[in-house]
Coordinates of all heavy atoms in Angstrom, one line a residue:
M1 N 122.1 104.0 99.9 CA 122.2 105.5 99.8 C 121.1 105.9 98.8 O 121.0 105.4 97.7 CB 123.6 105.9 99.3 CG 123.7 107.4 99.1 SD 125.3 108.0 98.7 CE 126.2 106.7 98.0
R2 N 120.4 106.9 99.2 CA 119.3 107.5 98.4 C 119.7 108.9 98.0 O 120.2 109.7 98.8 CB 118.0 107.5 99.2 CG 116.8 108.1 98.5 CD 115.6 108.1 99.3 NE 115.2 106.7 99.6 CZ 114.0 106.3 99.8 NH1 113.0 107.2 99.9 NH2 113.7 105.1 100.0
Q3 N 119.4 109.3 96.7 CA 119.6 110.6 96.3 C 118.3 111.2 96.0 O 117.5 110.6 95.3 CB 120.5 110.7 95.1 CG 120.8 112.1 94.6 CD 121.9 112.2 93.6 OE1 122.9 111.5 93.7 NE2 121.7 113.0 92.6
V4 N 118.1 112.5 96.5 CA 116.8 113.2 96.2 C 117.1 114.6 95.8 O 118.2 115.1 96.1 CB 115.9 113.2 97.5 CG1 115.5 111.8 97.9 CG2 116.6 113.9 98.6
N5 N 116.2 115.2 95.0 CA 116.5 116.6 94.6 C 116.0 117.5 95.7 O 115.4 117.1 96.7 CB 115.8 116.9 93.3 CG 114.2 116.8 93.4 OD1 113.7 117.2 94.4 ND2 113.6 116.4 92.3
M6 N 116.4 118.8 95.6 CA 116.2 119.8 96.6 C 114.7 119.9 97.0 O 114.3 119.9 98.1 CB 116.7 121.1 96.2 CG 116.9 122.1 97.2 SD 118.2 121.8 98.4 CE 119.6 122.0 97.4
H7 N 113.8 119.9 96.0 CA 112.4 120.1 96.2 C 111.8 118.9 97.0 O 111.1 119.1 97.9 CB 111.6 120.3 94.9 CG 110.2 120.4 95.0 ND1 109.6 121.5 95.5 CD2 109.2 119.5 94.8 CE1 108.3 121.3 95.6 NE2 108.0 120.1 95.1
E8 N 112.2 117.7 96.6 CA 111.8 116.5 97.3 C 112.3 116.5 98.7 O 111.6 116.1 99.7 CB 112.2 115.3 96.6 CG 111.7 114.0 97.2 CD 112.2 112.7 96.5 OE1 112.8 112.9 95.4 OE2 111.9 111.6 97.0
A9 N 113.5 117.0 98.9 CA 114.1 117.0 100.3 C 113.3 118.0 101.2 O 113.0 117.7 102.3 CB 115.5 117.4 100.2
K10 N 112.9 119.1 100.6 CA 112.1 120.1 101.4 C 110.7 119.5 101.7 O 110.2 119.7 102.8 CB 112.0 121.4 100.7 CG 113.3 122.2 100.6 CD 113.1 123.6 100.1 CE 112.4 123.7 98.8 NZ 112.4 125.1 98.2
T11 N 110.1 118.9 100.7 CA 108.7 118.4 100.9 C 108.7 117.2 101.8 O 107.7 117.1 102.6 CB 108.2 117.9 99.5 OG1 108.3 119.0 98.6 CG2 106.8 117.5 99.6
H12 N 109.7 116.3 101.8 CA 109.6 115.1 102.6 C 110.8 115.0 103.6 O 111.3 113.9 103.9 CB 109.7 113.9 101.6 CG 108.6 113.8 100.6 ND1 107.3 113.5 101.0 CD2 108.6 114.1 99.3 CE1 106.6 113.6 99.9 NE2 107.4 113.9 98.8
F13 N 111.1 116.1 104.2 CA 112.3 116.2 105.1 C 112.1 115.2 106.3 O 113.0 114.5 106.6 CB 112.5 117.6 105.6 CG 113.7 117.8 106.4 CD1 115.0 117.7 105.9 CD2 113.6 118.0 107.8 CE1 116.1 117.8 106.6 CE2 114.8 118.1 108.6 CZ 116.0 118.0 108.0
S14 N 110.9 115.2 106.9 CA 110.8 114.3 108.1 C 110.9 112.9 107.7 O 111.4 112.1 108.5 CB 109.5 114.6 108.8 OG 108.4 114.4 107.9
K15 N 110.4 112.5 106.5 CA 110.6 111.1 106.1 C 112.1 110.8 105.8 O 112.5 109.7 106.2 CB 109.8 110.9 104.8 CG 108.3 110.9 105.0 CD 107.6 110.7 103.7 CE 106.1 110.9 103.9 NZ 105.3 110.8 102.7
L16 N 112.8 111.7 105.3 CA 114.2 111.5 105.1 C 115.0 111.4 106.4 O 115.9 110.6 106.5 CB 114.8 112.7 104.2 CG 114.2 112.8 102.8 CD1 114.8 114.0 102.1 CD2 114.5 111.5 102.0
V17 N 114.6 112.2 107.4 CA 115.2 112.1 108.7 C 115.0 110.7 109.3 O 115.9 110.1 109.9 CB 114.8 113.2 109.6 CG1 115.2 113.0 111.0 CG2 115.3 114.5 109.1
R18 N 113.8 110.2 109.1 CA 113.4 108.8 109.6 C 114.4 107.8 108.9 O 114.8 106.9 109.6 CB 112.0 108.5 109.4 CG 111.2 108.6 110.6 CD 109.8 108.1 110.5 NE 108.9 109.3 110.5 CZ 108.2 109.7 109.5 NH1 108.0 109.0 108.4 NH2 107.4 110.8 109.6
L19 N 114.6 107.9 107.6 CA 115.5 107.0 106.9 C 116.9 107.1 107.5 O 117.6 106.1 107.7 CB 115.5 107.3 105.4 CG 114.3 107.0 104.6 CD1 114.4 107.5 103.2 CD2 114.0 105.5 104.6
V20 N 117.3 108.3 107.8 CA 118.7 108.5 108.4 C 118.8 107.9 109.8 O 119.7 107.2 110.1 CB 119.1 110.0 108.4 CG1 120.3 110.2 109.2 CG2 119.2 110.5 107.0
E21 N 117.7 108.0 110.5 CA 117.7 107.4 111.9 C 117.8 105.9 111.8 O 118.3 105.2 112.7 CB 116.4 107.8 112.6 CG 116.4 109.2 113.1 CD 115.0 109.6 113.7 OE1 114.0 109.1 113.2 OE2 115.0 110.4 114.6
Q22 N 117.3 105.3 110.7 CA 117.4 103.9 110.5 C 118.7 103.4 109.9 O 118.9 102.3 109.6 CB 116.2 103.4 109.6 CG 114.9 103.6 110.2 CD 113.7 103.4 109.2 OE1 113.9 103.1 108.0 NE2 112.5 103.7 109.6
G23 N 119.6 104.4 109.7 CA 121.0 104.0 109.2 C 121.3 104.3 107.8 O 122.4 104.1 107.3
E24 N 120.3 104.8 107.0 CA 120.5 105.1 105.6 C 121.1 106.5 105.5 O 120.9 107.4 106.3 CB 119.2 105.1 104.9 CG 119.3 105.1 103.4 CD 118.1 104.7 102.6 OE1 117.2 104.1 103.2 OE2 117.9 105.1 101.5
E25 N 121.9 106.7 104.4 CA 122.5 108.0 104.1 C 121.7 108.6 102.9 O 121.3 107.9 102.0 CB 123.9 107.8 103.6 CG 124.6 109.0 103.3 CD 126.1 108.7 103.0 OE1 126.8 108.1 103.8 OE2 126.5 109.1 101.9
V26 N 121.4 109.9 103.0 CA 120.6 110.6 101.9 C 121.5 111.7 101.3 O 122.0 112.5 102.0 CB 119.3 111.2 102.5 CG1 118.5 111.9 101.4 CG2 118.4 110.1 103.1
I27 N 121.6 111.6 100.0 CA 122.3 112.7 99.3 C 121.3 113.6 98.7 O 120.3 113.2 98.1 CB 123.1 112.1 98.1 CG1 124.1 111.1 98.6 CG2 123.8 113.2 97.3 CD1 125.2 111.6 99.6
I28 N 121.5 114.9 98.9 CA 120.6 116.0 98.4 C 121.2 116.6 97.2 O 122.4 117.0 97.3 CB 120.2 117.0 99.5 CG1 119.5 116.3 100.7 CG2 119.3 118.1 98.9 CD1 119.3 117.2 101.9
A29 N 120.5 116.7 96.1 CA 121.1 117.2 94.9 C 120.4 118.4 94.3 O 119.2 118.5 94.6 CB 121.1 116.1 93.8
R30 N 121.1 119.2 93.6 CA 120.5 120.3 92.9 C 120.8 120.1 91.4 O 122.0 120.0 91.1 CB 121.0 121.7 93.4 CG 120.5 122.9 92.7 CD 121.1 124.2 93.1 NE 120.8 124.5 94.5 CZ 121.7 124.8 95.4 NH1 122.9 124.8 95.1 NH2 121.3 125.1 96.6
A31 N 119.8 120.0 90.6 CA 119.9 119.7 89.2 C 120.8 118.5 88.9 O 121.6 118.5 88.0 CB 120.5 121.0 88.5
G32 N 120.6 117.5 89.8 CA 121.3 116.2 89.6 C 122.7 116.2 90.2 O 123.3 115.1 90.2
E33 N 123.2 117.3 90.6 CA 124.5 117.4 91.2 C 124.5 117.3 92.7 O 123.8 118.2 93.4 CB 125.3 118.7 90.8 CG 125.7 118.8 89.4 CD 126.7 117.7 89.0 OE1 127.7 117.5 89.8 OE2 126.5 117.1 88.0
P34 N 125.1 116.4 93.4 CA 125.1 116.3 94.9 C 125.6 117.6 95.5 O 126.7 118.1 95.1 CB 126.0 115.1 95.2 CG 126.0 114.3 93.9 CD 125.9 115.3 92.8
V35 N 124.9 118.1 96.5 CA 125.3 119.3 97.2 C 125.4 119.1 98.7 O 126.0 119.9 99.4 CB 124.5 120.5 96.8 CG1 124.6 120.9 95.4 CG2 123.0 120.3 97.2
A36 N 124.7 118.1 99.2 CA 124.7 117.9 100.7 C 124.5 116.4 101.0 O 123.9 115.7 100.1 CB 123.6 118.7 101.3
R37 N 124.9 116.0 102.1 CA 124.7 114.6 102.6 C 124.0 114.7 104.0 O 124.5 115.4 104.9 CB 126.1 114.0 102.7 CG 126.1 112.5 103.0 CD 127.4 111.9 102.8 NE 128.4 112.6 103.6 CZ 129.3 112.0 104.4 NH1 129.3 110.7 104.6 NH2 130.2 112.7 105.0
L38 N 123.0 113.9 104.1 CA 122.2 113.9 105.4 C 122.6 112.5 106.0 O 122.3 111.5 105.5 CB 120.7 114.0 105.1 CG 119.8 114.1 106.2 CD1 120.1 115.4 107.0 CD2 118.3 114.2 105.7
V39 N 123.3 112.6 107.2 CA 123.7 111.4 107.9 C 123.4 111.6 109.4 O 123.3 112.7 109.9 CB 125.2 111.1 107.7 CG1 125.5 110.8 106.2 CG2 126.0 112.3 108.2
A40 N 123.3 110.5 110.1 CA 123.2 110.5 111.5 C 124.4 111.0 112.2 O 125.5 110.8 111.7 CB 122.8 109.1 112.1
P41 N 124.3 111.8 113.3 CA 125.5 112.2 114.0 C 126.3 111.1 114.5 O 125.8 110.0 114.9 CB 125.0 113.1 115.1 CG 123.6 112.6 115.3 CD 123.1 112.1 114.0
A42 N 127.6 111.3 114.6 CA 128.5 110.2 115.2 C 128.2 110.1 116.7 O 127.9 111.1 117.4 CB 130.0 110.6 115.1
R43 N 128.1 108.9 117.1 CA 127.8 108.6 118.6 C 129.1 108.6 119.3 O 130.2 108.2 118.8 CB 127.2 107.2 118.7 CG 125.9 107.1 118.0 CD 124.8 107.8 118.8 NE 123.5 107.6 118.1 CZ 122.6 108.5 118.0 NH1 122.8 109.7 118.5 NH2 121.4 108.3 117.4
A44 N 129.1 109.0 120.6 CA 130.2 109.0 121.5 C 130.6 107.5 121.7 O 129.8 106.7 121.8 CB 129.9 109.7 122.8
T45 N 131.9 107.3 121.7 CA 132.4 105.9 121.8 C 132.3 105.4 123.3 O 132.2 104.3 123.6 CB 133.8 105.8 121.3 OG1 134.7 106.7 122.0 CG2 133.9 106.0 119.8
Q46 N 132.4 106.4 124.2 CA 132.3 106.0 125.6 C 131.3 106.9 126.3 O 131.1 108.1 125.9 CB 133.7 106.2 126.3 CG 134.8 105.4 125.8 CD 136.1 105.7 126.5 OE1 136.2 106.5 127.3 NE2 137.1 104.9 126.1
D47 N 130.7 106.4 127.4 CA 129.9 107.3 128.2 C 130.7 108.2 129.0 O 131.8 107.8 129.5 CB 129.0 106.4 129.2 CG 127.9 105.6 128.4 OD1 127.6 106.1 127.3 OD2 127.5 104.6 129.0
R48 N 130.3 109.4 129.1 CA 131.0 110.4 129.9 C 130.8 110.2 131.4 O 129.6 109.8 131.8 CB 130.6 111.8 129.5 CG 131.0 112.1 128.1 CD 130.6 113.5 127.7 NE 131.3 114.5 128.5 CZ 131.0 115.7 128.6 NH1 130.1 116.2 127.9 NH2 131.7 116.6 129.3
K49 N 131.8 110.3 132.2 CA 131.6 110.1 133.7 C 132.0 111.4 134.4 O 133.2 111.7 134.5 CB 132.5 109.0 134.1 CG 132.2 107.6 133.5 CD 133.1 106.5 133.9 CE 132.8 105.3 133.1 NZ 133.8 104.3 133.2
P50 N 131.0 112.1 134.9 CA 131.3 113.4 135.6 C 132.2 113.1 136.8 O 132.0 112.2 137.5 CB 129.9 113.9 136.0 CG 128.9 113.1 135.2 CD 129.6 111.8 134.8
G51 N 133.1 114.0 137.0 CA 134.0 114.0 138.1 C 135.2 113.1 138.0 O 135.9 112.9 139.0
V52 N 135.4 112.5 136.9 CA 136.5 111.5 136.7 C 137.9 112.2 137.0 O 138.8 111.5 137.5 CB 136.4 110.8 135.4 CG1 136.9 111.8 134.2 CG2 137.3 109.6 135.4
L53 N 138.0 113.5 136.8 CA 139.3 114.1 137.0 C 139.3 114.9 138.4 O 140.3 115.6 138.7 CB 139.6 115.1 135.9 CG 139.9 114.5 134.5 CD1 140.1 115.5 133.5 CD2 141.1 113.5 134.6
R54 N 138.3 114.8 139.2 CA 138.3 115.5 140.4 C 139.5 115.1 141.3 O 139.8 114.0 141.5 CB 137.0 115.1 141.2 CG 136.8 115.9 142.5 CD 135.5 115.7 143.1 NE 134.5 116.2 142.2 CZ 133.3 115.8 142.1 NH1 132.9 114.8 142.9 NH2 132.4 116.3 141.3
G55 N 140.2 116.2 141.7 CA 141.4 116.0 142.6 C 142.6 115.7 141.8 O 143.7 115.7 142.4
G56 N 142.5 115.5 140.5 CA 143.7 115.2 139.7 C 144.3 116.4 139.0 O 145.4 116.3 138.5
L57 N 143.6 117.5 139.0 CA 144.2 118.7 138.4 C 144.5 119.7 139.4 O 143.6 120.0 140.3 CB 143.2 119.2 137.4 CG 142.7 118.3 136.2 CD1 141.7 119.0 135.4 CD2 143.9 117.9 135.4
T58 N 145.6 120.4 139.3 CA 146.0 121.4 140.3 C 146.5 122.6 139.5 O 147.0 122.4 138.4 CB 147.0 120.9 141.3 OG1 148.2 120.5 140.6 CG2 146.4 119.8 142.1
N59 N 146.5 123.8 140.1 CA 147.1 125.0 139.5 C 148.5 125.2 140.2 O 148.7 124.8 141.3 CB 146.3 126.2 139.8 CG 145.0 126.2 139.1 OD1 144.9 125.7 138.0 ND2 144.0 126.9 139.6
R60 N 149.4 125.7 139.4 CA 150.7 126.0 140.0 C 150.5 127.1 141.0 O 149.6 127.9 140.9 CB 151.6 126.5 138.9 CG 152.0 125.4 137.9 CD 153.0 125.9 136.8 NE 153.3 127.3 136.9 CZ 153.8 127.9 135.9 NH1 154.0 127.3 134.7 NH2 154.2 129.2 136.0
A61 N 151.5 127.2 141.9 CA 151.4 128.2 143.0 C 151.4 129.7 142.4 O 150.8 130.6 142.9 CB 152.6 128.1 143.9
D62 N 152.1 129.9 141.3 CA 152.2 131.2 140.7 C 151.1 131.4 139.6 O 151.3 132.3 138.7 CB 153.6 131.5 140.2 CG 154.0 130.6 139.0 OD1 153.3 129.5 138.8 OD2 154.9 130.9 138.3
F63 N 150.1 130.7 139.6 CA 149.1 130.7 138.5 C 148.5 132.1 138.3 O 148.3 132.6 137.2 CB 147.9 129.7 138.8 CG 146.8 129.8 137.8 CD1 147.0 129.2 136.5 CD2 145.6 130.4 138.1 CE1 146.0 129.2 135.6 CE2 144.6 130.4 137.1 CZ 144.8 129.8 135.9
E64 N 148.2 132.8 139.4 CA 147.6 134.2 139.3 C 148.7 135.2 138.9 O 148.3 136.4 138.6 CB 146.9 134.5 140.6 CG 145.7 133.6 140.9 CD 144.6 133.9 139.8 OE1 144.4 135.0 139.4 OE2 143.9 132.9 139.6
A65 N 149.9 135.0 139.1 CA 151.0 136.0 138.8 C 151.1 136.2 137.3 O 151.1 135.3 136.5 CB 152.3 135.5 139.4
P66 N 151.2 137.5 136.9 CA 151.3 137.8 135.5 C 152.7 137.4 135.0 O 153.7 137.4 135.7 CB 151.1 139.3 135.4 CG 151.5 139.8 136.7 CD 151.1 138.7 137.7
A67 N 152.8 137.0 133.7 CA 154.1 136.7 133.1 C 155.0 137.9 133.1 O 154.5 139.0 133.0 CB 153.8 136.2 131.7
P68 N 156.3 137.7 133.3 CA 157.2 138.9 133.4 C 157.1 139.8 132.2 O 157.2 141.0 132.3 CB 158.6 138.2 133.6 CG 158.3 136.8 134.1 CD 156.9 136.5 133.6
E69 N 157.0 139.2 131.0 CA 157.0 140.1 129.8 C 155.7 140.9 129.7 O 155.7 142.0 129.3 CB 157.2 139.2 128.5 CG 156.1 138.2 128.3 CD 156.5 136.8 128.9 OE1 157.4 136.7 129.7 OE2 155.8 135.9 128.6
V70 N 154.6 140.4 130.2 CA 153.4 141.2 130.3 C 153.5 142.3 131.3 O 153.1 143.5 131.1 CB 152.1 140.3 130.6 CG1 150.9 141.1 130.8 CG2 151.9 139.2 129.5
E71 N 154.0 142.0 132.5 CA 154.2 143.0 133.5 C 155.2 144.1 133.0 O 154.9 145.3 133.2 CB 154.8 142.3 134.7 CG 154.7 143.0 136.0 CD 155.1 142.2 137.2 OE1 156.3 142.1 137.5 OE2 154.2 141.6 137.8
R72 N 156.2 143.7 132.3 CA 157.2 144.7 131.8 C 156.5 145.6 130.7 O 156.7 146.8 130.7 CB 158.3 144.0 131.1 CG 159.7 144.6 131.4 CD 160.9 143.8 130.8 NE 160.6 142.6 130.0 CZ 160.7 141.4 130.4 NH1 160.9 141.1 131.7 NH2 160.4 140.4 129.6
A73 N 155.7 145.0 129.9 CA 155.0 145.8 128.8 C 154.1 146.8 129.4 O 154.0 148.0 128.9 CB 154.2 144.8 127.9
F74 N 153.4 146.5 130.5 CA 152.5 147.5 131.1 C 153.3 148.5 132.0 O 152.9 149.7 132.1 CB 151.4 146.8 132.0 CG 150.3 146.2 131.2 CD1 150.3 144.9 130.8 CD2 149.3 147.0 130.7 CE1 149.3 144.4 130.0 CE2 148.3 146.5 129.9 CZ 148.3 145.2 129.6
R75 N 154.3 148.1 132.6 CA 155.1 149.0 133.5 C 155.8 150.0 132.6 O 155.9 151.2 133.0 CB 156.2 148.1 134.3 CG 156.9 149.0 135.3 CD 158.0 148.2 136.0 NE 158.9 147.6 135.1 CZ 159.2 146.3 135.1 NH1 158.7 145.5 135.9 NH2 160.1 145.8 134.2
D76 N 156.4 149.6 131.5 CA 157.1 150.6 130.6 C 156.2 151.4 129.7 O 156.7 152.3 129.0 CB 158.1 149.8 129.7 CG 159.1 149.0 130.6 OD1 159.3 149.4 131.8 OD2 159.7 148.1 130.1
R77 N 155.0 151.2 129.7 CA 154.0 152.0 128.9 C 153.5 153.2 129.7 O 153.0 153.0 130.8 CB 152.9 151.0 128.5 CG 152.0 151.6 127.5 CD 151.0 150.5 127.1 NE 150.1 151.1 126.1 CZ 149.0 150.5 125.7 NH1 148.8 149.3 126.1 NH2 148.2 151.1 124.9
P78 N 153.5 154.3 129.1 CA 153.0 155.5 129.8 C 151.5 155.4 130.0 O 150.8 154.9 129.1 CB 153.4 156.7 128.9 CG 153.7 156.1 127.6 CD 154.1 154.7 127.8
M79 N 151.0 155.9 131.1 CA 149.6 155.8 131.3 C 148.9 156.9 130.4 O 149.4 157.9 130.1 CB 149.2 156.2 132.8 CG 149.7 155.1 133.7 SD 148.7 153.6 133.6 CE 147.2 154.2 134.3
L80 N 147.7 156.6 130.0 CA 146.9 157.5 129.2 C 146.4 158.7 130.2 O 146.1 158.4 131.4 CB 145.7 156.8 128.6 CG 146.0 155.8 127.6 CD1 144.8 155.0 127.1 CD2 146.7 156.4 126.4
P81 N 146.3 159.9 129.7 CA 146.0 161.0 130.6 C 144.7 160.8 131.4 O 144.6 161.2 132.6 CB 145.9 162.2 129.7 CG 146.6 161.8 128.4 CD 146.6 160.3 128.4
E82 N 143.7 160.2 130.8 CA 142.4 160.1 131.5 C 142.4 159.0 132.6 O 141.5 159.0 133.4 CB 141.2 159.8 130.5 CG 141.4 158.5 129.8 CD 142.0 158.6 128.4 OE1 142.7 159.5 128.1 OE2 141.9 157.6 127.7
F83 N 143.5 158.2 132.7 CA 143.6 157.2 133.7 C 144.6 157.5 134.8 O 144.9 156.8 135.7 CB 143.9 155.9 133.1 CG 142.8 155.4 132.2 CD1 143.0 155.3 130.9 CD2 141.6 155.0 132.8 CE1 142.0 154.8 130.0 CE2 140.6 154.5 132.0 CZ 140.8 154.4 130.6
E84 N 145.3 158.7 134.7 CA 146.3 159.0 135.7 C 145.7 159.4 137.0 O 144.6 159.9 137.1 CB 147.2 160.2 135.2 CG 148.1 159.6 134.1 CD 149.0 160.7 133.6 OE1 149.2 161.8 134.3 OE2 149.6 160.5 132.5

């Protein structure tokens, strides 16, 4: 793990990114106090396979029907004059 100050991080950012790509962790400090950590992003553990759920998901028959409480709320509410 390497610690660099803010000015050095700004000046040598691309070099620091190369170090991170090689697996090193870089701590960025302000006045000697660590304020940020530069690390490589976590890699996905598995490759994604498009279409793996195709045909396995279905909607209920009443999917488009509003919930009774929503329907009641709109039915019992008076219409605004400009929409009558």
Side-chain angles (χ1 to χ4, degrees):
M1 175 175 22
R2 177 182 294 208
Q3 181 167 318
V4 298
N5 65 36
M6 195 72 68
H7 178 72
E8 184 180 355
K10 290 190 306 185
T11 305
H12 301 288
F13 186 71
S14 58
K15 290 178 185 175
L16 295 175
V17 169
R18 255 187 255 118
L19 289 173
V20 169
E21 288 174 326
Q22 295 169 3
E24 193 168 335
E25 182 176 304
V26 177
I27 302 295
I28 301 171
R30 179 183 293 127
E33 290 295 316
V35 294
R37 185 168 55 128
L38 189 59
V39 295
R43 300 281 184 219
T45 56
Q46 297 178 359
D47 289 336
R48 295 179 65 192
K49 296 177 185 164
V52 72
L53 294 176
R54 183 173 296 149
L57 301 176
T58 58
N59 289 332
R60 295 184 354 202
D62 65 344
F63 178 75
E64 294 293 327
E69 59 272 10
V70 173
E71 201 170 82
R72 221 177 4 265
F74 281 98
R75 185 182 58 232
D76 297 342
R77 186 175 178 188
M79 290 291 286
L80 296 173
E82 64 266 18
F83 294 111
E84 288 183 14

